[in-house]
C-alpha cells in the first residue's frame, strides 16, 4: 500500500478521527470502558468511511448505531465565566448539569462530513432559504445563554442548532442521492439494535435490576427503588425495561420509531428485505410491551392496525394483549396509577414557571431551575424535580414566547418547504409525534429523544 497516496486520499477522515480521539485521553481515567466504547465507535466510523468512500454515509450510520446508547460526559460546573448551579432547593439535579452525548459526536461528524463531501457552494445553496429563520433563532439561543452566564443552556442550544442543521443536510442528501444500499444498511442496523435493546430490556424485567452495563449507558436501577421506574401488577413489583436508554418511556419511543421505520422501509424494499422490514415491525411491537409505556404501546397498536388495513391484509385483523398490560391500563382508569396526577401537577408548576419567564424563557434545560419555589410532589411526598411532560409547555417555558415563535416558524419553514404530498403513513408519523409530545418531554429535552424526533421528521419528508 502506498502510504502517501492513502494519507492524501483519506486525510479528512484521519484528521477528524485524531481530533475526536484525543479528548478521550483526558477522560479515560473517569471511565476506562466508556472511553474504549467511544474510541471503538470512532474506529467503526473511520473504517466504514474508508470502505464506502463516503463520510456522509458513514456519519449517518454512526448516528443510527449509537442512538440507543446513553453515553454522556458531564462538563465541569465552572468553565470560563460560566458558573453552573445544579441544585434545586438543595437537591442535585442532573437536568441542570451541562452534558455532552455520543450523539453530539455524530452530529459534528455529519455536519463536517457534509461540508467536506459536497463543498461550501453546495452548502450555501442548501441553507440559503433557511438562513433568514435559522440565524435569528441561533442568535436568540446564544444571547439567552450569555446574558444568563448559563453553560447548560449554551450546550443544549448548540445541540438544537446542530440538530436542525443536520436535518437540513439530510433532507438534501435523501433528495439528491440513491438510497437502496443505505436503506439495506439502516434495516440491518435497526434490527440488530432493536434485538439488543429488547434482550437487555427482557433481562432487566425478569431480573428486576440493571445488568451492570454502565459502559453502554445503562441506567443503574433496581425494582422498587426510588428513582427507578417500575410497575405494580397483580401485587408484584416489576422493573420496566430500560435497555440502554435513560428511561423506559424513551425506549418505548425508540420502538415506536422503529415500527414506523419498518413500515417505511417495507414500501422501499423488495423480496428478502420486505421480510426483514416485517421482522423489524414484529420485534419492536413485541419488545415495546416490556417498557409498560402506555403511550408507546397504544401508538404501536394503532400503527400496526392502520398498516394492516391499508397495506397487508386490507381488513382482516387480529390482536393480542397480555393480561399484565391490560392491568397496566386499567390501573389508570381505576385511579391506582399516579403517573397521570404527576403529569398534571407538573403542568400546573409549568404555568407558574412560564409566568415568571414568559418573554425569553428560563433557557434550554433549565425548567427544573425555574420551578424551585413551585416543586410538586408525588402522593408519597417525593419532590418531582423533572421537566413538564409536554413538549409545547416545556418549549414555551424554556424559550419564552419570543424563542418559541422563532423555533416554530423555523420548523414550519423546513416542513412546509419539503413535505410534498400527505398520505396515511405521514399522518401516522404526525400523530405519533403529537401524542408523544403531549405526554412526555424527551423529544425536546434529551439527546436521544431529539434524534428520534429528527428521524421521525425525516420520515415525513422522504
Amino acid at each position: 500500500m502506498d502510504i502517501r497516496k492513502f494519507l492524501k486520499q483519506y486525510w479528512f477522515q484521519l484528521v477528524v478521527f485524531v481530533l475526536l480521539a484525543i479528548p478521550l485521553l483526558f477522560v479515560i481515567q473517569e471511565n476506562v470502558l466508556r472511553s474504549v466504547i467511544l474510541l471503538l465507535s470512532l474506529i467503526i466510523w473511520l473504517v466504514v468511511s474508508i470502505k464506502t468512500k463516503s463520510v456522509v454515509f458513514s456519519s449517518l450510520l454512526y448516528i443510527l448505531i449509537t442512538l440507543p446508547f446513553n453515553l454522556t460526559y458531564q462538563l465541569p460546573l465552572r468553565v470560563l465565566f460560566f458558573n453552573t448551579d445544579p441544585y434545586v432547593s438543595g437537591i442535585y439535579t442532573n437536568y441542570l448539569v451541562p452534558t455532552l452525548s455520543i450523539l453530539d459526536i455524530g452530529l459534528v461528524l455529519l455536519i463536517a462530513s457534509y461540508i467536506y463531501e459536497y463543498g461550501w457552494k453546495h452548502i450555501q445553496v442548501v441553507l440559503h432559504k433557511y438562513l433568514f429563520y435559522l440565524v435569528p433563532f441561533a442568535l436568540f439561543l446564544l444571547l439567552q445563554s450569555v446574558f444568563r452566564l448559563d453553560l447548560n443552556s449554551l450546550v443544549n442550544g448548540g445541540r438544537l442548532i446542530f440538530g436542525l442543521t443536520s436535518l437540513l443536510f439530510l433532507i438534501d442528501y435523501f433528495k439528491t442521492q440513491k438510497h437502496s444500499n443505505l436503506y439495506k444498511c439502516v434495516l440491518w442496523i435497526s434490527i440488530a439494535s432493536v434485538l439488543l435493546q429488547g434482550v437487555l430490556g427482557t433481562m432487566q424485567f425478569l431480573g428486576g435490576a440493571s445488568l451492570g452495563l454502565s459502559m453502554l449507558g445503562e441506567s443503574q436501577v433496581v425494582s422498587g427503588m426510588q428513582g427507578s421506574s417500575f410497575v405494580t401488577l397483580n401485587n408484584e413489583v416489576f422493573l420496566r425495561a430500560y435497555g440502554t436508554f435513560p428511561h423506559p418511556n424513551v425506549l418505548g419511543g425508540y420502538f415506536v420509531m422503529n415500527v414506523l421505520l419498518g413500515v417505511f422501509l417495507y414500501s422501499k424494499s423488495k423480496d428478502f428485505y420486505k421480510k426483514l422490514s416485517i421482522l423489524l415491525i414484529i420485534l419492536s411491537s413485541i419488545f415495546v410491551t416490556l417498557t409498560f409505556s402506555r403511550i408507546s404501546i397504544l401508538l404501536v397498536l394503532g400503527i400496526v392496525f392502520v398498516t394492516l388495513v391499508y397495506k397487508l391484509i386490507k381488513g382482516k385483523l387480529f390482536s393480542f394483549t397480555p393480561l399484565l398490560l391490560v392491568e397496566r391500563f386499567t390501573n389508570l382508569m381505576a385511579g391506582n396509577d399516579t403517573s397521570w396526577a404527576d403529569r398534571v401537577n407538573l403542568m400546573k408548576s409549568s404555568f407558574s414557571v412560564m409566568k415568571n419567564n414568559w418573554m425569553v424563557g428560563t433557557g434550554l434545560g433549565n425548567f427544573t431551575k425555574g420551578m424551585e419555589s413551585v416543586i410538586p410532589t408525588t402522593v408519597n411526598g417525593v419532590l418531582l424535580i423533572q421537566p413538564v411532560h409536554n413538549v409545547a409547555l416545556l418549549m414555551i417555558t424554556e424559550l419564552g414566547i419570543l424563542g418559541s415563535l422563532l423555533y416554530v416558524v423555523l420548523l414550519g419553514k423546513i416542513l412546509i418547504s419539503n413535505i410534498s404530498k400527505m398520505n396515511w403513513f405521514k399522518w401516522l408519523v404526525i400523530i405519533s409525534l403529537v401524542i408523544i409530545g403531549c405526554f412526555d418531554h424527551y423529544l425536546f429535552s434529551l439527546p436521544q429523544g431529539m434524534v428520534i424526533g429528527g428521524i421521525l421528521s425525516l420520515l415525513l419528508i422522504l
Side-chain angles (χ1 to χ4, degrees), residues 193-209 211 213 218 239-244 251 255 287 289-292:
S193 295
V194 165
L195 190 58
L196 174 62
Q197 295 303 312
V199 170
L200 293 180
T202 302
M203 294 173 67
Q204 291 163 346
F205 171 75
L206 294 176
L211 307 174
L213 299 175
E218 183 192 27
L239 182 69
R240 298 170 63 190
Y242 276 73
T244 55
L251 176 59
F255 287 136
F287 289 133
T289 58
L290 294 183
T291 68
F292 290 92

Side-chain angles (χ1 to χ4, degrees), residues 85-93 96 349-350 352-353 356-357 362 366-376 383-386:
D85 179 13
Y87 291 90
V88 179
S89 296
I91 300 174
Y92 185 86
T93 307
L96 295 175
S349 294
S350 73
S352 297
V353 179
N356 297 327
N357 305 272
T362 62
N366 288 339
F367 177 88
T368 52
K369 193 67 177 177
M371 66 189 296
E372 194 153 15
S373 59
V374 287
I375 304 174
L383 293 175
L384 278 171
I385 306 178
Q386 54 186 273

Side-chain angles (χ1 to χ4, degrees), residues 339-380:
S339 61
W340 175 252
D342 292 343
R343 280 174 164 81
V344 171
N345 289 332
L346 282 169
M347 287 182 182
K348 291 177 180 178
S349 294
S350 73
F351 290 117
S352 297
V353 179
M354 193 187 306
K355 184 173 63 177
N356 297 327
N357 305 272
W358 66 275
M359 181 52 72
V360 295
T362 62
L364 284 177
N366 288 339
F367 177 88
T368 52
K369 193 67 177 177
M371 66 189 296
E372 194 153 15
S373 59
V374 287
I375 304 174
T377 59
T378 66
V379 293
N380 298 321

Side-chain angles (χ1 to χ4, degrees), residues 151-253:
L151 183 61
N152 188 38
S153 178
L154 184 65
V155 170
N156 286 310
R159 179 181 296 125
L160 184 55
I161 293 299
F162 272 50
L164 290 168
T165 305
S166 298
L167 178 61
L168 292 174
F169 287 166
L170 289 178
I171 291 170
D172 176 71
Y173 179 78
F174 280 100
K175 283 184 174 181
T176 57
Q177 303 296 317
K178 294 182 179 179
H179 314 299
S180 57
N181 289 332
L182 174 61
Y183 287 152
K184 291 176 183 178
C185 290
V186 167
L187 192 49
W188 280 113
I189 291 171
S190 297
I191 288 175
S193 295
V194 165
L195 190 58
L196 174 62
Q197 295 303 312
V199 170
L200 293 180
T202 302
M203 294 173 67
Q204 291 163 346
F205 171 75
L206 294 176
S210 52
L211 307 174
L213 299 175
S214 60
M215 70 279 196
L216 296 179
E218 183 192 27
S219 300
Q220 302 305 298
V221 289
V222 177
S223 180
M225 183 181 72
Q226 183 176 329
S228 301
S229 186
F230 53 89
V231 291
T232 303
L233 303 171
N234 196 26
N235 297 319
E236 290 187 64
V237 177
F238 297 92
L239 182 69
R240 298 170 63 190
Y242 276 73
T244 55
F245 286 83
H247 193 277
N249 288 353
V250 189
L251 176 59

